[in-house]
Amino acid sequence: MPISFSTDEEFARKLDAEDSLRHFRERFHLPLGANGKPLIYLAGNSLGLMPKAARKIVEQELDDWAKLAVDAHLKAATPWYTYHETLREPVARLVGAKPNEVICMNSLTVNLHLMMATFYRPTKSRVKILMEEPAFPSDTYAIKTQIAHHRFDPKEALVLARPRMGEFTVRQDDIEAALEKHGDQIALVLIAGVNFFTGQLFDLERITAAAHKRGVTVGIDLAHAIGNVPLALHDWNVDFAVWCSYKYLNAGPGAVAGAYVHERHATNRELPRLAGWFGNDPATRFRLHLEPEFIPVPSADGWQVSNPPIFSMAPLRASLSIFDEAGGMETLRAKSIKLTGYLQFLLESARHSKLTVITPRETDARGCQLSISVHEHPKELFGKLEAAGVKCDFREPNVIRAAPTPLYNTFHEVWRVAGILAEHR
Ligand SMILES: *Cc1c(COP(=O)(O)O)cnc(C)c1O
């Protein structure tokens, strides 16, 4: 249903008054600007805000460490040995997976490598990896070095799906055309759920089906998708996925990341992998040196390498319970579509000739972020936003990314930001 907006300030206030999620803003620490007032924080796509409840959970772990030391592994309020279990179900809900298909571990790029160790096994005839451009550099480095690790040439083996000349985002049809053209030589499609630069949301179900038809494995980088858009990885039949938790999941700097492995792979103990003791069957894990043979847990846990990093997991518990309390991704997405749609509407109403939103206009082709290309004096505009207490980010050469999130941003904030952007002439 199309939503009809108005440019009046009163209208923004009315949207906030009607917003059933407005109270969740109080659950977060809002950073203050120079004037002592909260910043308009539109950088949750980079580092989400701190849930107030995080401090207590982290303090609990510090207390348990102080009081129990090694015994905290089994006797802490939340035992450390199985700490990752507390994250399993809420994370599975966010990505649309079965609980045995997800594991929180490591950091994003490390998980990308671990997943590729299993799912990128090039053969002479199938060497290539298809990814989108522009891609986040860490993903590009991971992919190129994986190709080189297998003694192939990244220049030949990396296939990029690019925006067409004069366009900003990759057409879904072009990804499918690339699969059509190179399909029998492609080993892996590794694509973002939501592109970090343009904010484009891909049709992951369609890409997965098209890839599988040609015998190609599909991995998804959900860095900008988890906690932003609803996902159904299991039903879409995606082979594997990875994500970080410090962006829309608000779990704090360097927080534990995650991985998803579809059940049909996760239960396959024969799959090669780079293993560690926490991926081993718990029944024999503590036989330690008496058990030199690795027996993987027949679930996504079979890829868990190390013992759970408690301090990078604790804040995620605080954040995940907010997602559940807010009613999950469907509820958040409904507000998000409205909030970002409102920003788009206000920018279009200003009939601006010097700004172009490069994020797709269709709501099902984007998450909450709008990427705004500024044709003249982009840094000056970015400086004006900063001076007015607006936290966005700037991506070279001239793109401002603004990500209003449904958990802690308001319609009135969006209205104010749009006013500053509209004045830039
Ligand atoms: C944020 C982000 C990363 C960051 O990787 P880390 O391993 O968490 O440092 C990687 N890839 C994408 C697409 C990202 O958006």
Side-chain angles (χ1 to χ4, degrees):
M1 193 182 67
I3 311 165
S4 53
F5 292 119
S6 145
T7 56
D8 311 340
E9 182 171 10
E10 269 321 294
F11 184 76
R13 300 247 185 237
K14 180 168 154 282
L15 288 176
D16 281 325
E18 290 167 356
D19 170 17
S20 62
L21 297 174
R22 67 182 182 278
H23 298 298
F24 284 95
R25 177 177 167 87
E26 293 152 25
R27 302 292 195 85
F28 294 88
H29 286 290
L30 299 164
L32 302 179
N35 60 2
K37 297 217 174 97
L39 294 177
I40 298 181
Y41 194 80
L42 302 184
N45 55 348
S46 225
L47 188 86
L49 291 183
M50 175 178 164
K52 289 179 182 167
R55 186 181 301 275
K56 222 173 148 188
I57 298 185
V58 173
E59 275 175 2
Q60 174 77 52
E61 305 315 330
L62 286 166
D63 285 346
D64 287 341
W65 182 21
K67 290 180 188 147
L68 300 169
V70 72
D71 286 341
H73 284 302
L74 297 175
K75 293 193 179 140
T78 307
W80 294 346
Y81 180 60
T82 49
Y83 208 84
H84 52 285
E85 295 295 347
T86 63
L87 309 172
R88 185 186 305 285
E89 304 241 345
V91 160
R93 282 192 279 281
L94 287 179
V95 298
K98 297 187 175 183
N100 65 347
E101 293 175 320
V102 297
I103 180 69
C104 290
M105 59 179 185
N106 312 313
S107 52
L108 189 162
T109 311
V110 170
N111 289 344
L112 208 46
H113 277 297
L114 290 178
M115 289 295 118
M116 281 195 277
T118 296
F119 294 104
Y120 178 58
R121 316 272 308 160
T123 58
K124 278 219 162 52
S125 57
R126 265 189 203 271
V127 175
K128 294 182 178 172
I129 299 182
L130 173 66
M131 80 184 303
E132 91 271 29
E133 192 178 69
F136 198 87
S138 203
D139 301 47
T140 304
Y141 304 153
I143 288 174
K144 284 187 168 174
T145 54
Q146 282 281 336
I147 292 170
H149 176 71
H150 288 282
R151 300 176 197 277
F152 291 101
D153 181 357
K155 281 196 204 72
E156 283 163 24
L158 183 56
V159 182
L160 296 170
R162 296 193 166 97
R164 291 189 190 178
M165 192 71 102
E167 298 183 6
F168 301 105
T169 51
V170 183
R171 293 194 194 189
Q172 190 80 26
D173 290 343
D174 289 352
I175 295 174
E176 287 173 45
L179 278 165
E180 193 74 59
K181 185 168 162 208
H182 304 276
D184 54 357
Q185 301 163 35
I186 297 179
L188 176 67
V189 173
L190 189 54
I191 202 161
V194 172
N195 182 271
F196 81 103
F197 188 71
T198 63
Q200 178 179 16
L201 165 62
F202 290 103
D203 186 337
L204 301 177
E205 184 173 20
R206 232 177 90 185
I207 291 173
T208 305
H212 284 176
K213 218 163 91 192
R214 289 161 191 86
V216 178
T217 302
V218 178
I220 312 288
D221 184 332
L222 298 174
H224 282 260
I226 191 168
N228 178 11
V229 293
L231 298 162
L233 298 182
H234 178 87
D235 289 346
W236 296 339
N237 214 8
V238 170
D239 294 285
F240 72 88
V242 294
W243 57 87
C244 52
S245 309
Y246 48 81
K247 292 174 179 166
Y248 296 109
L249 290 194
N250 312 309
V256 71
Y260 150 93
V261 181
H262 192 283
E263 196 171 42
R264 77 190 122 85
H265 304 304
T267 52
N268 180 0
R269 288 182 150 146
E270 304 302 316
L271 282 178
R273 67 195 76 198
L274 298 180
W277 69 319
F278 264 65
N280 195 73
D281 184 351
T284 56
R285 184 179 295 148
F286 274 95
R287 286 173 50 77
L288 302 177
H289 58 290
L290 303 177
E291 202 62 54
E293 290 308 321
F294 175 69
I295 306 165
V297 183
S299 73
D301 293 26
W303 279 263
Q304 191 180 19
V305 176
S306 298
N307 72 95
I310 304 306
F311 295 109
S312 84
M313 284 183 163
L316 180 55
R317 290 174 59 205
S319 177
L320 291 175
S321 62
I322 297 175
F323 276 86
D324 278 336
E325 224 184 297
M329 271 325 296
E330 297 293 339
T331 310
L332 287 164
R333 175 69 166 156
K335 174 174 171 186
S336 176
I337 286 173
K338 213 166 162 182
L339 196 60
T340 296
Y342 184 47
L343 178 56
Q344 171 104 30
F345 164 83
L346 292 171
L347 292 177
E348 285 176 3
S349 303
R351 295 184 194 285
H352 217 296
S353 60
K354 292 182 183 146
L355 304 178
T356 307
V357 175
I358 64 173
T359 308
R361 231 183 149 274
E362 308 74 42
T363 50
D364 60 359
R366 70 179 184 210
C368 71
Q369 170 185 324
L370 290 188
S371 303
I372 304 158
S373 167
V374 186
H375 309 311
E376 286 171 29
H377 312 297
K379 290 214 164 123
E380 189 187 313
L381 175 56
F382 186 68
K384 272 188 217 159
L385 287 165
E386 287 217 296
V390 180
K391 195 80 198 152
C392 304
D393 71 16
F394 188 80
R395 287 290 175 264
E396 295 289 348
N398 67 337
V399 170
I400 291 175
R401 300 188 308 172
T405 71
L407 276 175
Y408 49 74
N409 289 117
T410 68
F411 290 91
H412 193 257
E413 286 180 322
V414 162
W415 182 85
R416 283 168 59 202
V417 171
I420 298 165
L421 292 168
E423 276 168 19
H424 183 68
R425 299 284 164 170

